[in-house]
Amino acid sequence: GAVLLHTDRTMLAQVLLNLSLNALQACPRGAGVTLAARRRGGAALVIVEDRGRGLPEDHRERLFSPFFTTRPDGTGLGLTGCRRIARQLGGDVRLYPRRRGGTRAVLSLDTVAASSPTTTTADEGRRCPATTC
């Protein structure tokens, strides 16, 4: 079933947009990007998968470091920003290599943290409606 999150839509959209753009930029022309949502225990997971070049072993430690980039035109701030926002929302972002090539980005949001000050309560629903994924 659906997972109802009381969270900041703008911040959530920013993380998902950035992870999706990274995935699209990593893919060869014509390859697809897959987005999926799952519930695991007390967390909602949003998964973004690409079939790009993957995660070289020597890059994995630095992926979330400011100014680290593998693209000539990259700033190296996208994943750093994604992790910062995810943590403000009560979650995290992690990257994993896919067995058949490419990368899996997993945004996890703790559904228990839905009552934290950075998210909305039922009374605040008009200002920041719940997001279903």
Side-chain angles (χ1 to χ4, degrees):
V3 177
L4 185 64
L5 296 173
H6 293 278
T7 193
D8 185 300
R9 274 188 180 185
T10 303
M11 293 172 76
L12 178 61
Q14 183 63 46
V15 172
L16 293 177
L17 177 64
N18 198 0
L19 292 176
S20 299
L21 287 173
N22 282 354
L24 287 168
Q25 291 168 346
C27 285
R29 186 173 288 268
V33 170
T34 304
L35 276 74
R38 296 190 179 103
R39 186 184 335 204
R40 181 174 293 152
L45 305 178
V46 182
I47 300 141
V48 180
E49 290 185 330
D50 68 60
R51 278 134 185 95
R53 58 190 170 277
L55 297 172
E57 189 74 36
D58 60 334
H59 292 172
R60 293 181 194 168
E61 293 288 322
R62 300 182 292 162
L63 289 171
F64 293 97
S65 299
F67 308 111
F68 174 75
T69 184
T70 58
R71 294 194 334 256
D73 61 341
T75 63
L77 296 174
L79 288 175
T80 303
C82 283
R83 179 164 270 175
R84 179 183 47 78
I85 291 170
R87 288 180 174 170
Q88 287 176 335
L89 295 175
D92 200 5
V93 174
R94 297 188 185 271
L95 299 179
Y96 303 95
R98 294 184 70 246
R99 287 187 196 140
R100 290 180 246 153
T103 301
R104 173 179 293 129
V106 179
L107 168 63
S108 61
L109 296 171
D110 185 358
T111 57
V112 176
S115 61
S116 73
T118 61
T119 60
T120 64
T121 63
D123 295 332
E124 297 172 314
R126 278 181 249 124
R127 283 188 283 149
C128 186
T131 301
T132 304
C133 59

